[in-house]
Amino acid sequence: GGFPEPLRSKVLESRGIEAVDGRPGATLPDYNFEEAEKLLKEKFGAKFIDDKDVLSHALYPNVFTEWKEFESIYGEVSKLPTDLFLSPMKENDEVEFELNPGTRVIIKLISITPPRDDGQRTVTFEINGERWLMPVTDISVALDANVRRKASGPNEVGSPMPGVIVNLKVKEGDTVTEGEPLATLSAMKMETVIPASASGVVKHVAVNIGDKVDGDDLLVEIE
């Protein structure tokens, strides 16, 4: 099998490499699945790692890590139909799928507002007839606007380091006390809870879940 001669020899010679006899993988050292499983559970949590995850990481380590980081932001999405995951809903679209055995949900996308100057949109949707409003950041608009400003002063809470916002615990208008958790930042494979720097009322939330931030980027403004 393989390429015919003399093409094979000329290609190898032109690249300065030698031919491999037999199966290339046969010369690789044995993969330590037990050690890999231990490291993955330490990194992502034991309840989030099974045998299939260990094998996936062995075959595609970078892709697997990116996927786990995606899950840390957006949660479990395996229940979504594939076509819905790959092709986002449009306004007035409605979809029904099974969330758990015996539990079905009907989701309808009501509206998506135009983006604000900071790239934020509000998505309105219904789950089994109950209406929800979710603020999201339109990355294309936010990147074009380059709007993230740095926190300054005791009433502005900034990001302690570069990372991704994986949880928000407050919204505009909430009353908070100094030290109360405001958001959770995922950075360097660890999650950091960001506390309020002062007591008062939340005037402005500058980020949404899934946003990437740099050090000192403004997250929450308190008055």
Side-chain angles (χ1 to χ4, degrees):
F3 290 98
E5 294 289 359
L7 175 62
R8 174 176 175 272
S9 297
K10 289 182 177 180
V11 170
L12 293 174
E13 183 180 357
S14 67
R15 287 166 171 74
I17 56 179
E18 298 181 357
V20 177
D21 293 328
R23 184 174 64 84
T27 60
L28 294 174
D30 292 339
Y31 189 81
N32 191 331
F33 285 94
E34 292 183 356
E35 180 65 19
E37 181 179 5
K38 177 183 176 182
L39 294 176
L40 288 173
K41 287 182 175 179
E42 290 176 353
K43 185 175 183 179
F44 299 109
K47 67 179 181 179
F48 300 112
I49 298 297
D50 56 22
D51 291 343
K52 184 171 65 175
D53 292 322
V54 177
L55 180 58
S56 297
H57 181 265
L59 295 172
Y60 310 104
N62 292 335
V63 174
F64 178 83
T65 299
E66 291 175 0
W67 174 251
K68 281 300 179 183
E69 291 174 350
F70 175 90
E71 281 191 330
S72 71
I73 299 170
Y74 299 104
E76 174 61 60
V77 296
S78 64
K79 302 296 184 180
L80 292 176
T82 302
D83 60 335
L84 179 60
F85 179 80
L86 297 177
S87 302
M89 299 172 67
K90 297 180 175 61
E91 291 183 357
N92 296 318
D93 281 357
E94 186 174 285
V95 63
E96 180 180 358
F97 60 92
E98 188 173 56
L99 187 61
N100 294 302
T103 303
R104 299 191 67 82
V105 293
I106 301 174
I107 299 177
K108 182 177 182 179
L109 178 58
I110 304 300
S111 65
I112 302 176
T113 64
R116 303 189 322 192
D117 291 340
D118 60 359
Q120 180 170 295
R121 298 176 183 264
T122 298
V123 179
T124 303
F125 56 97
E126 292 180 350
I127 301 179
N128 291 342
E130 182 179 354
R131 183 157 295 197
W132 292 71
L133 285 81
M134 177 69 68
V136 299
T137 299
D138 188 326
I139 298 176
S140 62
V141 176
L143 291 178
D144 290 341
N146 191 24
V147 294
R148 296 214 186 277
R149 68 180 180 88
K150 300 301 181 181
S152 61
N155 292 334
E156 293 189 352
V157 181
S159 175
M161 66 187 79
V164 178
I165 300 298
V166 296
N167 191 15
L168 283 173
K169 301 181 181 296
V170 296
K171 62 182 183 300
E172 293 175 2
D174 285 355
T175 299
V176 297
T177 57
E178 183 177 354
E180 182 178 340
L182 301 178
T184 304
L185 178 76
S186 177
M188 297 184 294
K189 315 305 180 186
M190 297 178 62
E191 291 190 355
T192 301
V193 176
I194 301 173
S197 56
S199 299
V201 177
V202 176
K203 179 181 178 181
H204 177 57
V205 178
V207 293
N208 292 303
I209 294 175
D211 284 3
K212 293 182 179 180
V213 295
D214 292 323
D216 296 325
D217 278 359
L218 177 65
L219 304 181
V220 178
E221 185 177 356
I222 301 171
E223 63 177 0

